[in-house]
Amino acid sequence: SFSLSLPCSLSPIPSLSPLFLTLPPSLPPSLPPSLPPSLPPSLPPSLPPSLPPSLPPSLLTPNLHSLPMQCDNAKGLRAFFDAICYGPKHLMIFGGVCPSVTSIIAESLEGWNLVQLSFAATTPVLADKKKYPNFFRTVPSDNAVNPAVVKFLNFYNWSRVGTLTQDVQRFSEVRNDLTNELEKADIQIADTESFSNDPCVNVKKLKDNDVRIIIGQFDENLASKVFCCAYNLNMYGSKYQWIIPGWYQGNWWEQANSTNCTTRKLLTAMEGYIAVDFEPLSAKQVKGISGRTPKEYEREYSKELQQKGVEPSKYHGFAYDGIWVIAKTLTRVMDLLQHKERQDMHHNFTVDDREVGKLVLDVMNETNFYGVTGQVMFRNGERMGTIKFTQFQEGQEVKVGEYNAIADVLDLINNTMRFQGVEPPKDRTFVRLQRRNINVPLYSILSVITILGMLMAGAFLFFNIKNRNHRLIKMSSPYMNNLIILGGMLSYSSIFLFGLDGALVSDKEFEALCTVRTWILIVGYTTAFGAMFAKTWRVHAIFKNVKMKKKIIKDQKLLIIVGGMLLIDLCILICWQIVDPLKRTVEEYSLEADPQGQDIAIRPFLEHCENTHMTIWLGIVYAYKGLLMLFGCFLAWETRNVSIPALNDSKYIGMSVYNVGIMCIIGAAVSFLTRDQPNVQFCIVALVIIFCSTITLCLVFVPKFITMRTNPDAATQNRRLKFNTNQKKEDSKMSTSVTSVNQANTSRLDGLQSDNHRLRMKITELDKELEEVTMQLQDTPEKTPYIKQNHYGDVNNILSIRNFTDEGEKSILKNHLEQKPQAQWGSMDPSRINRGPLEDINSPEHIQRRLSLQLPILHHAYLPSIGGVDASCTSPNASPGSSPRHRHMPPSYRVMVSGL
């Protein structure tokens, strides 16, 4: 440090006014080697010419004392106190480079009424005016670059940055001040990292947090490590921008490279970084207070360096302007003192040290002139200087702009800034939300298929309604068929709703669709398959009637069953809607690269219909539908061998239940697994619905349509029994038929066989009686009227053995009795008069007559058990029980006789 003081003989304050005019002639041409190497090697060649030249020469020579500190706190304090106690009376202290020594001395200046001006101390600690009120510096502090950095960020619209700071007090203080400046400018600090030795972990965290604009605070030794990590992590190029201090030595990457990265790798990672530092000399070629432009001064300074053979210092301009600050301050102080002395009436004007120190402090704060470093001006003791921006381009730093702190203006040089990409890097990975919507062509194709399915369902509905009075359609419950068609059409319509997403409807409409499509699909499923299950249940109930009692299950009962199923569905859906309604939720997925190579990221999102307890509600619905499906599969399995014309679609219902059950299980599982792929999920759901609805409708209605087209009277044709003369083969057929009815119920089989045997015995007895009547008619032809009257009741008794009769069989018997009454009852063939009894009984005429009577009887006893109708019924829909012949018959004759 240099201290300026008066000679001991010049103690009166009035004599201070002409203190500085020229530099002492004894000033050494170069600084002592004990001073820091950053001090300027020479002082300004002249002082301001405006000082008064008429002062006595003895008063024009100030003393300039050198106080070597050697950046040691103890030595610095001792030298300072020795100068205060044993030296002359000091006015100002000029210098101070080491932050630790400078801060200690500056903190005690106020007690000594001294003012310190530093030209090289840049530590931000000295900016605290409460602690260092008498400290000034002509060099901007390290914090002075922060407003410039903020201005630079705003110029490129970078509102999100990250910081990487070396864990040293100097850099930490700059980082703290930068944080305040960024918050004032409303710039987001995405991440703040500090490191001591290895920065790679912290650099990786910056990358993980998607920090693109990185502001670094570290020395050149660690800068090489930072850029080596950046190279290894690919944090360079068009997507990243590094901003680091600009006070590094030239070619620092070669001198300070202690990493395993080569120089080429470091240069690759460093390409394009921005360095920020104060401007050592002004770029404006304007003559300042010294009468020289910055260029002229630099030329003269370089000449002095060559003559003296010393290394240059980046602070020489600030030292030069500092001398001018002191000169102007003292000049101003002397002017003020002279003015006060003239105003003193008694010419006895004196001031003390405190008043002089305050006067020097006030004049220092008013300093404002243009020097070689630019405009010299203090704001709270801090130099408002110029900050330059340089960019590393192809192995060298190129100046690209500067920031004027006084005017708060950023001036960038045109066409000098080069970015790695076509545009400046973005401050973040701009995420573009992309909805995973259903492909329009896929939706169109499935919609066309759905429309075709609905047209097919409409055709089936027209067919069912038009032929509802036809025997074939009426036997298969046309009302249940209509419900099946209605359920299929509801299921078809839900496909249109499942294909609508946020790309086609608004968020509120999508949320309403969540509820609507769920209700439609559930109600359609229950309507269609509930009707199918009800029809299958009726087949099962009739077929499994163990007691073989007459059982009538009307469509009204089936409608009640389907209505009960729908009521359960409505209760579940209403509770679901009230307690926990479905809402629109958005699921976001991991970032994806832009397929077009742009510097953006794609974040896919998918809209779902969900609620808080989605699993519980789906479990309830799946459990209920699963039970219905299992019940339908059970009924289909139990009725798999039934083949009855009156209930001719039971087999197809079973096939439909099987197919639907398998497809629903597969579709639900695959749909759950592909919930993040809307196209696949929609395609699977739509195809499952289309397949289930189509296969159900086709299996139920296509056979009916084919039957009515190929054989319209198939429903009215009666099943007839064919007899064989081989009794053993008949017994085998009987046993096979009875066994096919129910193999599990052996008791029922035994009962049927017993009844069958009893009826056969009864028929044999009746046959004998009939033969006796025939023989009597042959023997006594004159008694024909009597026999006819007496035995006609016996014939009626024989016919009353049946339970249900068929119209066709009744007509056969009626024709047989009406067409040849004389041949049967009133006359005898002359050719038979001479035949014996046995020969007549076994004659072809007798055998044919017996079969003509027995066959209708047996066939009418068989048909009611398998769905046949009574021949006495005038309408095909009349109940067999309405015949008067069946009211008095015992139930033991209502058995199926097969194989006779």
Side-chain angles (χ1 to χ4, degrees):
S1 300
F2 296 93
S3 61
L4 301 177
S5 61
L6 286 173
C8 295
S9 60
L10 300 178
S11 57
I13 291 299
S15 63
L16 288 177
S17 57
L19 180 60
F20 290 100
L21 180 61
T22 61
L23 286 174
S26 59
L27 189 66
S30 61
L31 296 178
S34 60
L35 290 178
S38 59
L39 294 180
S42 63
L43 292 175
S46 64
L47 286 174
S50 60
L51 294 179
S54 59
L55 294 177
S58 61
L59 299 178
L60 295 178
T61 305
N63 291 330
L64 182 62
H65 296 277
S66 174
L67 303 177
M69 304 292 182
Q70 298 181 2
C71 290
D72 185 274
N73 294 346
K75 293 181 179 180
L77 285 175
R78 178 166 183 171
F80 174 72
F81 284 111
D82 288 344
I84 293 296
C85 297
Y86 305 109
K89 189 171 183 123
H90 300 281
L91 297 177
M92 297 181 66
I93 298 176
F94 178 62
V97 177
C98 297
S100 58
V101 180
T102 304
S103 60
I104 292 175
I105 295 176
E107 191 173 0
S108 61
L109 293 176
E110 186 178 9
W112 301 98
N113 298 316
L114 296 174
V115 176
Q116 183 177 2
L117 178 65
S118 175
F119 56 86
T122 61
T123 175
V125 176
L126 297 172
D128 187 2
K129 300 312 294 181
K130 293 182 179 180
K131 195 173 183 180
Y132 311 102
N134 290 13
F135 179 81
F136 292 82
R137 50 187 166 191
T138 56
V139 62
S141 70
D142 294 334
N143 287 344
V145 301
N146 292 334
V149 171
V150 172
K151 201 75 174 180
F152 186 79
L153 296 175
N154 289 330
F155 182 84
Y156 287 103
N157 297 321
W158 291 332
S159 60
R160 184 177 183 271
V161 299
T163 60
L164 182 64
T165 309
Q166 183 179 349
D167 196 7
V168 178
Q169 181 181 4
R170 175 186 179 183
F171 300 116
S172 299
E173 292 169 353
V174 177
R175 192 262 323 273
N176 296 336
D177 182 75
L178 177 63
T179 301
N180 296 330
E181 295 290 338
L182 292 174
E183 290 177 354
K184 292 178 183 178
D186 196 21
I187 297 177
Q188 177 189 359
I189 302 177
D191 190 13
T192 300
E193 296 293 332
S194 299
F195 66 95
S196 297
N197 188 23
D198 185 9
C200 291
V201 176
N202 306 93
V203 175
K204 179 67 167 56
K205 290 181 180 179
L206 291 174
K207 182 177 182 180
D208 294 340
N209 290 326
D210 191 35
V211 177
R212 298 289 196 90
I213 312 301
I214 306 170
I215 302 175
Q217 292 291 336
F218 37 77
D219 57 30
E220 58 263 36
N221 294 323
L222 291 178
S224 59
K225 295 183 179 181
V226 170
F227 283 105
C228 182
C229 298
Y231 180 84
N232 295 329
L233 295 173
N234 199 27
M235 293 181 64
Y236 63 92
S238 61
K239 295 183 179 180
Y240 293 91
Q241 182 61 61
W242 289 85
I243 302 176
I244 62 175
W247 42 262
Y248 297 163
Q249 299 294 327
N251 297 331
W252 58 267
W253 56 89
E254 296 179 354
Q255 301 174 5
N257 186 9
S258 59
T259 65
N260 55 0
C261 292
T262 62
T263 303
R264 184 184 60 82
K265 292 182 179 179
L266 288 179
L267 292 176
T268 302
M270 292 161 49
E271 184 67 25
Y273 75 71
I274 301 295
V276 186
D277 194 15
F278 54 80
E279 186 74 86
L281 292 176
S282 176
K284 296 180 180 180
Q285 301 305 315
V286 179
K287 289 186 178 182
I289 192 172
S290 64
R292 297 177 177 86
T293 64
K295 283 287 186 182
E296 294 173 351
Y297 165 79
E298 186 178 17
R299 198 164 42 244
E300 189 173 347
Y301 175 73
S302 300
K303 184 178 179 181
E304 291 288 332
L305 289 178
Q306 292 178 359
Q307 292 178 357
K308 295 178 170 56
V310 295
E311 293 292 332
S313 171
K314 63 180 294 185
Y315 299 103
H316 64 87
F318 299 104
Y320 183 79
D321 285 342
I323 295 297
W324 281 99
V325 170
I326 294 174
K328 285 188 66 65
T329 300
L330 293 180
T331 301
R332 178 61 178 163
V333 169
M334 288 188 293
D335 290 341
L336 292 175
L337 290 175
Q338 290 176 357
H339 179 70
K340 288 184 178 182
E341 184 179 10
R342 286 192 296 267
Q343 291 181 351
D344 189 2
M345 299 295 296
H346 303 285
H347 299 284
N348 191 18
F349 175 72
T350 59
V351 292
D352 56 14
D353 296 342
R354 186 180 60 82
E355 291 177 339
V356 173
K358 185 176 183 306
L359 190 61
V360 172
L361 187 63
D362 293 339
V363 173
M364 288 281 289
N365 285 322
E366 295 176 359
T367 301
N368 188 359
F369 65 89
Y370 198 87
V372 295
T373 58
Q375 188 173 2
V376 181
M377 181 179 176
F378 299 106
R379 184 177 296 172
N380 294 327
E382 293 295 311
R383 168 72 184 273
M384 304 300 294
T386 303
I387 306 300
K388 69 172 181 177
F389 290 88
T390 58
Q391 187 181 34
F392 189 78
Q393 299 176 3
E394 297 179 357
Q396 60 181 354
E397 291 186 353
V398 179
K399 184 178 178 180
V400 295
E402 64 179 23
Y403 168 76
N404 190 340
I406 298 175
D408 191 23
V409 174
L410 177 65
D411 184 17
L412 295 180
I413 304 174
N414 295 331
N415 301 324
T416 56
M417 187 75 72
R418 297 180 184 177
F419 294 105
Q420 302 299 303
V422 295
E423 59 182 0
K426 296 180 173 60
D427 59 357
R428 70 198 73 190
T429 301
F430 282 94
V431 178
R432 186 177 67 191
L433 294 177
Q434 187 178 71
R435 179 184 286 105
R436 287 185 176 177
N437 50 8
I438 297 173
N439 205 353
V440 175
L442 176 63
Y443 180 74
S444 302
I445 294 172
L446 293 176
S447 298
V448 171
I449 297 175
T450 303
I451 293 174
L452 294 178
M454 296 184 73
L455 292 176
M456 180 193 68
F460 287 151
L461 181 63
F462 175 77
F463 168 78
N464 190 72
I465 294 175
K466 181 181 179 181
N467 300 283
R468 64 185 181 275
N469 293 323
H470 194 278
R471 185 179 181 86
L472 179 65
I473 302 300
K474 198 163 188 176
M475 286 181 181
S476 62
S477 302
Y479 295 110
M480 292 294 101
N481 294 340
N482 291 339
L483 287 180
I484 294 174
I485 297 173
L486 177 61
M489 297 185 73
L490 288 175
S491 300
Y492 278 131
S493 62
S494 67
I495 296 176
F496 299 108
L497 303 181
F498 275 105
L500 298 177
D501 52 19
L504 301 175
V505 297
S506 63
D507 296 344
K508 186 174 292 186
E509 293 173 347
F510 181 83
E511 192 166 305
L513 285 176
C514 293
T515 303
V516 173
R517 69 189 188 186
T518 304
W519 282 56
I520 290 178
L521 183 60
I522 292 178
V523 172
Y525 175 91
T526 303
T527 303
F529 298 105
M532 289 174 51
F533 297 160
K535 292 179 64 175
T536 311
W537 171 80
R538 178 164 64 179
V539 176
H540 180 270
I542 295 174
F543 176 69
K544 294 298 181 180
N545 185 12
V546 178
K547 297 181 179 180
M548 296 300 293
K549 293 182 179 181
K550 181 176 66 177
K551 195 168 188 177
I552 300 176
I553 301 177
K554 297 183 178 181
D555 289 347
Q556 288 79 359
K557 189 172 184 179
L558 301 183
L559 290 174
I560 293 175
I561 294 175
V562 177
M565 295 180 183
L566 290 175
L567 183 62
I568 296 175
D569 275 339
L570 291 178
C571 292
I572 296 175
L573 292 173
I574 291 174
C575 293
W576 190 350
Q577 183 65 24
I578 294 176
V579 176
D580 193 12
L582 289 171
K583 295 181 180 180
R584 174 184 176 269
T585 60
V586 177
E587 181 181 3
E588 294 184 352
Y589 298 91
S590 57
L591 294 176
E592 299 177 357
D594 182 56
Q596 299 179 356
Q598 299 180 1
D599 187 19
I600 59 174
I602 305 297
R603 184 178 293 280
F605 73 93
L606 188 59
E607 297 169 312
H608 296 292
C609 294
E610 294 181 352
N611 52 15
T612 306
H613 306 286
M614 188 71 176
T615 305
I616 298 176
W617 294 108
L618 287 180
I620 294 174
V621 173
Y622 287 159
Y624 172 54
K625 301 301 178 184
L627 290 176
L628 286 181
M629 186 66 65
L630 291 176
F631 182 65
C633 293
F634 169 76
L635 294 178
W637 176 261
E638 288 292 313
T639 59
R640 66 188 183 279
N641 294 323
V642 175
S643 179
I644 303 174
L647 305 171
N648 60 349
D649 53 357
S650 59
K651 180 188 296 184
Y652 303 114
I653 291 176
M655 294 173 59
S656 176
V657 169
Y658 281 134
N659 293 325
V660 169
I662 294 174
M663 291 301 299
C664 287
I665 294 174
I666 296 176
V670 176
S671 175
F672 179 78
L673 295 176
T674 59
R675 67 190 307 269
D676 59 339
Q677 302 178 26
N679 287 318
V680 178
Q681 186 184 42
F682 172 68
C683 184
I684 292 174
V685 171
L687 290 179
V688 168
I689 295 175
I690 292 173
F691 177 81
C692 293
S693 302
T694 304
I695 198 69
T696 299
L697 296 176
C698 290
L699 288 174
V700 172
F701 292 99
V702 169
K704 296 179 176 58
F705 181 78
I706 294 175
T707 302
M708 293 191 64
R709 293 284 295 180
T710 58
N711 192 5
D713 299 329
T716 60
Q717 294 178 359
N718 296 310
R719 303 175 68 182
R720 303 187 180 276
L721 298 177
K722 297 181 180 180
F723 295 91
N724 196 314
T725 56
N726 191 344
Q727 188 63 34
K728 183 176 181 180
K729 189 173 182 180
E730 292 176 359
D731 294 339
S732 175
K733 289 183 179 180
M734 177 198 66
S735 178
T736 303
S737 175
V738 173
T739 303
S740 64
V741 174
N742 191 351
Q743 297 178 356
N745 198 341
T746 56
S747 60
R748 182 183 173 192
L749 180 60
D750 295 339
L752 290 175
Q753 290 178 349
S754 176
D755 292 340
N756 191 4
H757 180 71
R758 179 166 48 83
L759 289 175
R760 289 175 61 185
M761 295 299 295
K762 182 66 176 178
I763 291 172
T764 303
E765 294 177 358
L766 293 175
D767 190 289
K768 291 180 179 180
E769 293 180 4
L770 182 61
E771 292 298 327
E772 292 177 359
V773 172
T774 304
M775 292 176 65
Q776 291 176 7
L777 289 174
Q778 291 177 354
D779 295 338
T780 57
E782 66 276 9
K783 298 179 180 180
T784 299
Y786 174 76
I787 294 173
K788 181 177 180 180
Q789 293 175 359
N790 288 292
H791 290 277
Y792 193 80
D794 294 337
V795 174
N796 288 335
N797 291 333
I798 294 173
L799 297 177
S800 65
I801 194 171
R802 73 189 186 281
N803 186 19
F804 300 102
T805 62
D806 185 88
E807 239 177 64
E809 303 298 339
K810 181 179 179 181
S811 62
I812 294 173
L813 179 59
K814 185 177 181 181
N815 294 336
H816 180 74
L817 294 175
E818 290 178 356
Q819 289 176 3
K820 298 180 179 181
Q822 301 298 329
Q824 294 179 5
W825 306 103
S827 64
M828 291 294 295
D829 189 353
S831 62
R832 299 178 184 175
I833 296 175
N834 297 326
R835 296 180 183 180
L838 295 176
E839 184 179 358
D840 292 337
I841 292 175
N842 295 324
S843 64
E845 292 81 0
H846 282 77
I847 293 174
Q848 184 177 4
R849 185 183 303 123
R850 287 199 303 270
L851 290 177
S852 65
L853 294 175
Q854 292 173 358
L855 182 59
I857 294 172
L858 296 178
H859 190 49
H860 280 273
Y862 165 74
L863 285 178
S865 299
I866 61 172
V869 295
D870 192 354
S872 62
C873 299
T874 59
S875 172
N877 297 325
S879 174
S882 62
S883 175
R885 297 187 180 185
H886 292 81
R887 295 173 185 171
H888 66 276
M889 293 300 297
S892 60
Y893 293 108
R894 296 178 183 176
V895 297
M896 176 168 58
V897 182
S898 175
L900 297 180

